[in-house]
Amino acid sequence: MSFKANKIRTAISAALFAVGVLAASGADAKDWTEVRIATEGAYPPFNFVDANGQLQGFDVDIANALCEAMKAKCTLVAQDWDGIIPALIAGKFDAIVASMTITEERKKTIDFTDRYYRTPLAVIGPKDAAEDVSPEALKGKVIGAQSSTTQAEYAEKNYVPGGAELKLYPTQDEANLDLANSRLDAIIGDKFVIAEWIKKDGAECCKFLGDAPGTTSDTGIAVRKEDTDLRDKLNAAITEIRANGTYDKIRAKYFDFDIY
């Protein structure tokens, strides 16, 4: 075989190999026309289960709007908060739309979209409590918070060293119930969530003691680190629903003020 013929054969083999590699990578690539989304289902008004057993809430409506913008068929499932990140990493679903705050610690294991709302933390307590959320005011008090949340981290960092006791709960509703039943001196939580609870169920027992200083943070959609294409599609969809008015229509259904 001539040198020229051998070069041609080598080039053809390389080209065929490249085609094979591209075909294999294409087979593994996802088109994201079907997306599985998890939410907690125990964090009203952002996500909850209604009397008919259906997931409802701001997060759920936003997820559905994003799927419509992406022209994707989406399946929403409820997942307990404590196991929600491990389940995402394990591939049980593709994204989390569950009012998850974007933190540097979480970004070590998962990725986030741009924010879809922003929220501060606040402290509430009994009607006769002093409206003071300083560590000194809460010294010796029992404070409740949902476990594995930024509010639990804040209480651990800011109140426990000052002499407060922190009690953790699987859901925000359980912490609220213990406060209403005088088993806690205060709870710390997402201001919008506990405002909704006070308005509906806690008006007789409880009141705002104050915002937790410096706690306003961004909430995003969590995806696996390798799913950058899904993250980008979701970001484009967030931009679209913000621009076409869909986001504001959903927000107005739950809040009479801007949360973005």
Side-chain angles (χ1 to χ4, degrees):
M1 183 181 293
S2 68
F3 176 72
K4 182 176 181 181
N6 188 54
K7 283 184 69 178
I8 293 172
R9 182 177 180 181
T10 301
I12 292 172
S13 297
L16 290 172
F17 176 76
V19 169
V21 169
L22 287 172
S25 63
D28 292 335
K30 298 178 182 178
D31 58 15
W32 300 114
T33 55
E34 295 190 14
V35 182
R36 296 164 297 165
I37 296 176
T39 195
E40 184 186 7
Y43 205 61
F46 289 96
N47 56 78
F48 58 94
V49 178
D50 67 16
N52 297 317
Q54 300 299 308
L55 286 167
Q56 303 287 352
F58 178 81
D59 288 331
V60 175
D61 289 355
I62 288 291
N64 285 326
L66 294 176
C67 290
E68 184 174 345
M70 293 191 299
K71 297 178 173 57
K73 177 184 177 182
C74 290
T75 303
L76 271 74
V77 298
Q79 169 68 48
D80 289 345
W81 182 259
D82 283 348
I84 205 166
I85 290 178
L88 172 67
I89 294 170
K92 186 175 178 181
F93 36 78
D94 305 307
I96 300 170
V97 185
S99 293
M100 183 172 285
T101 303
I102 301 170
T103 68
E104 292 304 316
E105 185 64 27
R106 287 172 178 157
K107 285 165 69 174
K108 292 177 182 178
T109 54
I110 57 176
D111 202 358
F112 284 95
T113 63
D114 299 334
R115 82 174 193 264
Y116 66 99
Y117 78 88
R118 180 172 283 165
T119 182
L121 300 182
V123 180
I124 66 172
K127 286 265 191 177
D128 59 354
E131 293 183 9
D132 185 348
V133 297
S134 67
E136 294 77 18
L138 294 174
K139 181 178 181 180
K141 305 293 187 181
V142 183
I143 303 172
Q146 184 177 9
S147 62
S148 303
T149 61
T150 52
Q151 46 263 40
E153 292 172 9
Y154 183 89
E156 184 72 41
K157 180 180 179 180
N158 292 276
Y159 293 126
V160 172
E165 178 186 342
L166 177 61
K167 188 174 181 181
L168 298 177
Y169 294 83
T171 68
Q172 185 68 48
D173 281 345
E174 291 173 83
N176 296 346
L177 185 61
D178 266 8
L179 177 64
N181 290 322
S182 302
R183 290 190 284 265
L184 292 172
D185 299 304
I187 59 174
I188 181 168
D190 179 319
K191 185 174 184 177
F192 303 148
V193 172
I194 54 181
E196 181 75 5
W197 177 76
I198 286 180
K199 182 170 68 175
K200 289 185 175 180
D201 300 310
E204 296 300 319
C205 71
C206 308
K207 67 177 182 180
F208 276 100
L209 304 184
D211 289 352
T215 59
T216 298
S217 54
D218 291 345
T219 296
I221 298 167
V223 298
R224 289 179 290 273
K225 278 187 171 290
E226 62 268 25
D227 291 337
T228 55
D229 48 354
L230 177 58
R231 180 202 63 202
D232 293 345
K233 282 179 177 288
L234 286 164
N235 277 337
I238 291 170
T239 299
E240 180 176 332
I241 68 170
R242 288 275 301 156
N244 66 20
T246 300
Y247 181 94
D248 283 336
K249 288 179 182 177
I250 294 171
R251 188 271 307 159
K253 181 178 172 182
Y254 298 95
F255 308 102
D256 56 5
F257 51 87
D258 184 24
I259 67 170
Y260 185 77

